[in-house]
Amino acid sequence: MRSPSGKAFPSGKASPSGNASPSGKASPVRSPGHVAAPGIGGVGESPLRPDGTLKATGEFAYASDLWMEGMLWGATLRSPHPRALIRSIGVGAALALPGVRAVLTHADVPGRKMFGIDHTEDQPVLAIDQVRHQGEPVALVAADHPETARRALERIAVEYEVLEPITDPRAVVADPERLKVQDRGGITRHQPVRVGDVDAAKAAADVVVSGEYEVGIQDQAFLGPESGLAIPSEDGGVDLYVSTQWIHNDLKQIAPCLGLAEDQVHMTLAGVGGAFGGREDLSMQIHAGMLALHTGRPVKMSYDRYESFFGHVHRHPAQMRYEYGATSEGKLLYADVEIILDGGAYTSSTMNVVGNAASLGVGPYEIPNIRIDGYGVYTNNPPCGAMRGFGAVQACFAYESMMDKLGAACGLGPLEIRRRNAAGQGSKLATGQVIESPAPLAEMLTRLEAMPPPPAADRSDLRNLPGGVAQTTHGEGVVRGVGYGVGIKNICFSEGFDDKSTARVRLEVIGGEATALVHTAAAEVGQGLVTVQAQVARTELGVQRVTIAPADNGVGDAGSSSASRQSYMTGGAVKAACEAVRARLLALAERRLGRTGLSVAGGKIVEGAGGVLCAIEDVLGSDAIEEIREYHHRPTARMDPVTGQGRSHTQLALCVHRAVVDVDVELGLVKVVELAAVQDVGKIINRLSLEGQIHGGSAQGLGLAVMEEIVVADGLVRNPSFTDYLIPTILDMPPMRLDILEYPDPEAPYGLRGAGEPPTLSSTPAIVAAIRDATGRDLTRVPVRPEHIVRPEQSARAEQTV
């Protein structure tokens, strides 16, 4: 397939369905968008994804496949130091290299020099007088060839005065005014939560347990690197084709830094190769725009895998202290909690991550007395921000570990201790917010318990054993363990944010068939949103042919593809716009047919109990009906800065997991044999996509449990590659049993409940609990490593052998 200019896409790949494809012209021709196949289902069915075949065959064009005739290649010089003052930057030698068209520093930023995702503009476009983390952008190059750009970077002379990095988040909490990475102090946000009288409850408790827990830095590990193409436009602005999660939030940051009005920055979503929160923050967008405006030529920037590890934020690492007290029957009396999240050098979304961790810090359990202190701090470690689960993941590992410890101290099994303390509809969260919609946690635990266990492993097949075909074991030292995990996650944006999405829907006759065109700025990042939008349009308009227009800023804000919110928010916006179009269509039909009480079904205008009057095409004729609607969920409020109380979330979702593992206790190797999950989703919109979300979230939780961690020492990343940063493969992911419940949320479109994040929470503690069950080890840190598992006597024997 060829682009509109006639130039072949790289690697013979097709134009990204639903994304714009730059041509060889200054104003690229846009692709027609996702065209949904006719005759395939609405809400509740599982139509195939319109982009699915292209992605499965490798023909889908991602942002890194973008190409334009005459384009330059951009590259970024990054700091090798986590903390240093910049004394000078020399660019002469780089500019003298043949083929180099521009070398830019902070002095060349045409507009505002600082930006930030969450209304905190503390991140420089290019480092000004200092660098605060390894990999911070210092200078940019544009050249005729990517290798020339790379060689030019090597010629830029930067004189650094290296300083000792601040890397201990707990030390920052203890002395935030002395250990300052940012001028505003060492703490991004301190969010207390106070309920009841914890000190009095401590005196009344029969059983007290405590623990300290740690979560390492997890990377989103998306396969498509940060990439995009910037093209100078005729109005003096720039056209940007980028892979992102939130077009309009990018726009609000990009335009001021480029010195442009927002209507001069024309943004179109390019093919996104995964996101998971890592594309909420800017990466190359401003840099490519600067180079394009400076040179007057199109500029492509595409990170390699090494640079990608420094080019986006990661999951916040956490240090947590928990103490629980209960009656002898296992009824929780109090929770005393400290959660410290390391946000790295810049604010990013740390303030909201802290809010989530604090508000959900003790999980979906009824606890009458609560004291939580949640902190986000600045360090010279890698910047951290949004990742699937967004603060709730870290807390979930700790509070679920504590529930197991409490159950053991009370002589109760892991399911029974959870049942006795389970929150439900009408219960209060730690913030005082009442759970108004169904929350069937007790039922979910019972259903999980009823699931049959997997059969014993066939140890004659080495693939069934820890270590697999490496033949590290033939079954000796292998012990099976079972563990459970419960997670609760907020859905949509919280704490008073005016969460919204906008949709434009147009209904007209094309080629003799009634066709709906749906246009939103919502980012399809692999989650199947394009399919959901078409399902909603078919359901509400009764038509089969639906086209999803390319996502761009030619329509109002759709918010981010994060917080498990797009089916709720953009689905709600499309539904509302379709309802408005349908109302106008029926009004038109009533006028033309002289009838009342009409409805649409199966592409027909229907009267009363089902009498077909005519086809939609007969009513529309040459007319077109178009409506725009903006959808908002019910309002939320900021957590009180002293007590943490407030109705901070609009919706909550639950998932519970059972993990079965085989552990070689002599070698420290783990094989996850099976994961079983029960999840309430309110309403199944698309079962196939939903099951994929639960599988995918569980896989990321498995990765955090036993293998995924960015290793940082003294502020330096030690493993920035997929050779050394390990993620689960198909061989690591076990079979899954799923039980999906539908308890509708009356406030949500179709009663749906966001589903993408909750499995990521509960799978991690379930797997770690299963490893504890097999080994008897406490295991207070994830990822669990072999040295955490091997029993002391085996470690001593191994050392003697060596």
Side-chain angles (χ1 to χ4, degrees), residues 164-239:
E164 183 178 353
I166 297 168
T167 60
D168 183 350
R170 191 170 290 283
V172 174
V173 171
D175 193 356
E177 290 306 310
R178 182 177 68 86
L179 299 175
K180 293 196 299 186
V181 171
Q182 294 280 353
D183 292 339
R184 60 177 54 85
I187 296 177
T188 318
R189 179 181 183 180
H190 171 213
Q191 180 58 63
V193 177
R194 301 290 187 264
V195 179
D197 188 338
V198 170
D199 292 329
K202 286 187 177 187
D206 300 316
V207 179
V208 175
V209 294
S210 61
E212 296 191 14
Y213 301 96
E214 188 174 351
V215 176
I217 303 177
Q218 187 179 21
D219 187 66
Q220 295 84 354
F222 42 70
L223 298 186
E226 294 83 350
S227 303
L229 179 65
I231 307 169
S233 59
E234 294 178 356
D235 63 358
V238 64
D239 295 339

Side-chain angles (χ1 to χ4, degrees), residues 43 501-505 517-520 529 532-542 546 548 566-583 627-632 683 685 745-752:
V43 169
S501 184
T502 311
R504 177 189 293 123
V505 175
L517 174 66
V518 178
H519 187 192
T520 76
L529 179 63
V532 169
Q533 291 181 76
Q535 288 178 263
V536 171
R538 288 195 204 96
T539 298
E540 299 300 326
L541 296 177
V546 181
I548 308 300
Q566 285 293 11
S567 290
Y568 192 128
M569 298 303 300
T570 296
V574 173
K575 183 175 185 288
C578 286
E579 288 171 341
V581 168
R582 186 181 66 220
E627 290 287 342
I628 300 174
R629 288 294 183 274
E630 190 174 90
Y631 184 81
H632 299 248
K683 166 67 177 178
I685 304 298
D745 179 348
E747 297 287 336
Y750 305 112
L752 67 83

Side-chain angles (χ1 to χ4, degrees), residues 81-105:
H81 309 292
R83 188 183 183 203
L85 301 177
I86 297 176
R87 294 308 185 191
S88 66
I89 305 176
V91 301
L95 276 170
L97 189 67
V100 172
R101 306 299 175 183
V103 181
L104 306 182
T105 69

Side-chain angles (χ1 to χ4, degrees), residues 624-643:
I625 301 174
E626 182 174 292
E627 290 287 342
I628 300 174
R629 288 294 183 274
E630 190 174 90
Y631 184 81
H632 299 248
H633 63 60
R634 55 186 176 175
T636 58
R638 294 284 294 181
M639 296 171 67
D640 184 276
V642 176
T643 67

Side-chain angles (χ1 to χ4, degrees), residues 4 253 377 409 415 463 638 643 661 730 757:
Q253 299 171 81
V377 303
L415 290 174
R463 291 174 297 179
R638 294 284 294 181
T643 67
V661 304
I730 194 170
E757 291 175 287

Side-chain angles (χ1 to χ4, degrees), residues 232-509:
S233 59
E234 294 178 356
D235 63 358
V238 64
D239 295 339
L240 284 173
Y241 299 84
V242 295
S243 55
T244 179
Q245 289 178 244
W246 191 351
I247 286 174
H248 282 77
N249 197 275
D250 283 10
L251 177 66
K252 291 175 183 178
Q253 299 171 81
I254 294 166
C257 293
L258 294 181
L260 299 173
E262 286 190 8
D263 62 7
Q264 290 180 287
V265 180
H266 318 285
M267 296 192 65
T268 303
L269 185 71
V272 181
F276 313 114
R279 300 188 200 272
E280 283 198 36
D281 294 72
L282 296 182
S283 57
M284 44 61 61
Q285 289 94 321
I286 298 174
H287 297 162
M290 284 176 59
L291 291 170
L293 292 173
H294 186 87
T295 62
R297 301 224 344 232
V299 174
K300 176 178 178 176
M301 298 190 77
S302 186
Y303 296 171
D304 61 18
R305 183 60 57 194
Y306 176 88
E307 185 174 15
S308 180
F309 271 91
F310 299 97
H312 64 260
V313 296
H314 315 287
R315 187 186 300 286
H316 290 73
Q319 297 179 24
M320 301 170 284
R321 292 174 174 166
Y322 274 64
E323 182 182 299
Y324 280 3
T327 67
S328 58
E329 291 79 27
K331 193 66 176 173
L332 277 162
L333 293 179
Y334 75 86
D336 197 354
V337 175
E338 180 186 64
I339 301 171
I340 300 175
L341 299 167
D342 183 353
Y346 297 109
T347 302
S348 182
S349 53
T350 296
M351 295 182 71
N352 294 324
V353 173
V354 171
N356 274 10
S359 64
L360 303 174
V362 293
Y365 302 109
E366 293 186 334
I367 308 177
N369 303 284
I370 299 171
R371 179 164 58 211
I372 300 173
D373 285 287
Y375 297 92
V377 303
Y378 296 108
T379 68
N380 295 117
N381 293 321
C384 292
M387 186 177 171
R388 193 176 196 165
F390 204 81
V393 164
Q394 296 90 326
C396 184
F397 170 61
Y399 67 67
E400 284 301 279
S401 299
M402 288 294 292
M403 293 303 289
D404 283 340
K405 184 174 284 192
L406 181 64
C410 294
L412 298 172
L415 290 174
E416 182 58 27
I417 188 67
R418 288 168 171 83
R419 265 193 291 261
R420 292 191 182 190
N421 294 283
Q425 192 169 4
S427 297
K428 288 184 178 180
L429 296 175
T431 59
Q433 180 172 344
V434 175
I435 302 176
E436 297 172 357
S437 61
L441 177 55
E443 178 190 349
M444 294 167 73
L445 293 169
T446 300
R447 295 173 78 111
L448 187 67
E449 186 176 27
M451 287 187 177
D458 175 8
R459 295 190 174 185
S460 66
D461 187 341
L462 294 179
R463 291 174 297 179
N464 296 327
L465 295 174
V469 294
Q471 298 195 62
T472 52
T473 181
H474 287 266
E476 61 276 19
V478 174
V479 181
R480 177 156 290 189
V482 180
Y484 299 89
V486 172
I488 184 168
K489 177 65 176 66
N490 62 309
I491 305 299
C492 300
F493 295 148
S494 300
E495 290 205 75
F497 188 92
D498 184 17
D499 200 356
K500 65 182 179 181
S501 184
T502 311
R504 177 189 293 123
V505 175
R506 180 181 178 89
L507 182 65
E508 60 186 324
V509 177

